[in-house]
Amino acid sequence: MAAVHHASLLDSVSEASSIRLNNQIYELQSCGIDTITLSLGEAFFDIPAPSFEGMPAHRIHHYSHSRGLPLLREKLAKYYESGTGSPVDPDREVMVTAGSKAALFMTFTALLEPGDEVIIPEPLWVSYPDQVRLARGVPVMTPWQEPVAELAAYVTPRTRAIVVNNPQNPSGRRLAAEELKALHELAEQHGLFIIADEAYHEFMPEGATFVSALEHDPEKRHTVVCNSMSKNYGISGWRIGYLIAHAELAEQILKLQQHMVTCAPTILSYYLAENFETILEQTRPQIQRVVRTRNDMSRLLADRGVSCLPGDSTFYLFASLGASRLGSQEFAERLLNERGVAVVPGIGYGASCERFVRISVGTEPRDRLATGVSAVASLIEETV
Ligand code: PLP
């Protein structure tokens, strides 16, 4: 076979560990092997399959505005405005993207000069460091124990941005308003950007309030918000996300979008724009249920002596392996092979997270969740 040459940049990037694991689960399922799946990064909702009946064929089959369909941008701007009280200009500050993953990647690419540093607090979402590397930047990870107030110690003359995932995958933690305020002060003081990934912002306990990064920077002087329909609308496979940024930055990011994907899928954007409120009405009660289940499973783990990182939002738990002698990778492999339960090894969320596994409660019914969570606790007890 002829040698395959590739850019050396790719040697510094790994396969996305959570996606590799998901592929493994899909393969097991297709062989008819039953797996209690606590590893998928989404919540399954009961929402009707879309009907495109009556939509104008001459519009939905074709490319559309590369910023995103105007009506969808308008709805997204209103959605954020009503949640944050900060004005959002749908024509200049919003871009619809092929998932928030693309929004984040384009933002890094647009902001970073080679060698620029990006501070990424652990536990981190697996794609941040590799996306930064692909944008020729340098990810600077901070251990999970580091409070927001200490992040200033990681700022150097090369620091360009800080990534904030709020609420956080995998801990379910929401940043307090004072923490966000401190981050914005740090950004102002050192001329940094805050890249706020708010992909799980609907997943909060009833009565809790979500504080968006935009609330502290309504003019978007140093804030880019990336978000998505994947989790909040339960349609991850549609690949529709969006970003909100200062008009000048959005203009630069638009060039990337035009050269990479032209536009987000037109037919799905059209359907979404037309059904924006209806889908949210359908998912919100289901979101409430899944968050309650998350917090019930957290109590179930606590009753078995397993602690999780603090958090009450999303559909994830980041469970400590406590006194188990197994590392997170080996723990997850044994759990899958011996008990048919899939979780994600903590090491994928940063070097400081080796003593954790991520549990997702989004895709299994309650009885199977309880069985899976109990299997986690038992394997910890048996491997002390
Ligand atoms: N951000 C976080 C924190 C995530 O967990 C994910 C997906 O798991 C994404 C972004 C990307 O989601 P999408 O590209 O589907 O919007």
Side-chain angles (χ1 to χ4, degrees):
M1 194 179 91
V4 178
H5 295 286
H6 61 270
S8 58
L9 175 66
L10 287 177
D11 292 330
S12 65
V13 170
S14 358
E15 219 186 318
S17 58
S18 51
I19 294 184
R20 191 182 51 221
L21 186 71
N22 292 346
N23 289 343
Q24 203 183 332
I25 305 297
Y26 299 141
E27 282 159 22
L28 285 174
Q29 285 168 344
S30 70
C31 299
I33 298 171
D34 182 34
T35 305
I36 296 184
T37 308
L38 309 184
S39 52
L40 282 186
E42 57 184 323
F44 290 167
F45 296 142
D46 191 9
I47 43 176
S51 161
F52 302 108
E53 199 73 29
M55 291 194 179
H58 66 283
R59 294 190 59 193
I60 60 176
H61 290 320
H62 305 291
Y63 298 130
S64 46
H65 198 300
S66 55
R67 279 185 193 270
L69 279 189
L71 181 61
L72 183 54
R73 277 186 276 133
E74 231 171 79
K75 299 252 165 134
L76 288 167
K78 282 214 183 82
Y79 177 55
Y80 249 82
E81 265 174 18
S82 66
T84 64
S86 315
V88 175
D89 180 346
D91 296 326
R92 300 168 71 234
E93 297 178 334
V94 180
M95 189 184 307
V96 182
T97 58
S100 60
K101 199 174 250 188
L104 287 158
F105 183 63
M106 290 191 289
T107 303
F108 290 132
T109 306
L111 285 179
L112 301 183
E113 296 292 347
D116 276 355
E117 295 171 8
V118 178
I119 295 175
I120 306 176
E122 293 177 1
L124 48 79
W125 178 53
V126 294
S127 287
Y128 300 140
D130 280 336
Q131 287 201 343
V132 167
R133 290 185 189 103
L134 286 169
R136 314 228 173 223
V138 178
V140 175
M141 275 65 94
T142 67
W144 68 264
Q145 299 91 336
E146 205 70 277
V148 166
E150 299 301 323
L151 293 184
Y154 295 83
V155 176
T156 75
R158 291 308 309 262
T159 309
R160 178 78 166 130
I162 304 179
V163 178
V164 187
N165 180 204
N166 186 34
Q168 190 184 56
N169 168 13
S171 67
R173 188 165 108 82
R174 270 177 299 131
L175 282 180
E178 314 80 67
E179 289 176 306
L180 268 174
K181 186 161 171 274
L183 278 171
H184 283 281
E185 280 166 5
L186 193 65
E188 281 283 333
Q189 193 184 343
H190 297 276
L192 313 178
F193 268 85
I194 292 186
I195 301 174
D197 176 351
E198 301 183 347
Y200 296 89
H201 85 284
E202 290 277 350
F203 287 84
M204 289 184 305
E206 210 165 355
T209 44
F210 170 70
V211 186
S212 164
L214 272 193
E215 290 183 43
H216 292 274
D217 181 21
E219 290 166 17
K220 304 155 203 80
R221 287 150 45 100
H222 59 246
T223 304
V224 180
V225 165
C226 297
N227 205 328
S228 148
M229 323 313 282
S230 293
K231 322 288 173 170
N232 295 323
Y233 277 65
I235 47 176
S236 59
W238 290 30
R239 311 308 303 131
I240 308 259
Y242 54 98
L243 61 83
I244 301 174
H246 190 280
E248 276 174 33
L249 180 58
E251 195 73 29
Q252 297 303 319
I253 297 176
L254 183 63
K255 293 191 261 180
L256 290 166
Q257 168 112 316
Q258 289 176 350
H259 288 298
M260 283 166 61
V261 291
T262 305
C263 59
T266 306
I267 185 166
L268 301 176
S269 302
Y270 204 95
Y271 180 90
L272 253 180
E274 300 272 311
N275 296 279
F276 195 88
E277 296 81 10
T278 323
I279 302 178
L280 209 48
E281 273 164 30
Q282 287 159 345
T283 59
R284 274 185 172 148
Q286 302 183 68
I287 285 175
Q288 279 307 308
R289 263 203 303 281
V290 83
V291 173
R292 273 199 301 275
T293 304
R294 177 213 181 271
N295 293 326
D296 290 347
M297 292 302 139
S298 166
R299 279 187 285 275
L300 215 149
L301 281 166
D303 289 346
R304 294 282 305 268
V306 179
S307 62
C308 295
L309 281 194
D312 63 6
S313 302
T314 73
F315 43 85
Y316 300 120
L317 294 156
F318 209 39
S320 166
L321 294 181
S324 168
R325 63 176 182 279
L326 304 181
S328 65
Q329 187 79 38
E330 196 187 347
F331 186 92
E333 274 165 24
R334 281 190 54 179
L335 196 69
L336 183 59
N337 297 333
E338 295 171 16
R339 294 154 205 245
V341 178
V343 294
V344 187
I347 190 68
Y349 300 86
S352 68
C353 303
E354 169 60 355
R355 301 301 306 154
F356 294 88
V357 288
R358 189 191 74 173
I359 295 171
S360 162
V361 306
T363 63
E364 291 282 7
R366 232 182 142 83
D367 55 332
R368 282 168 63 88
L369 283 176
T371 308
V373 158
S374 169
V376 171
S378 300
L379 187 59
I380 294 174
E381 284 162 13
E382 290 162 27
T383 54
V384 169

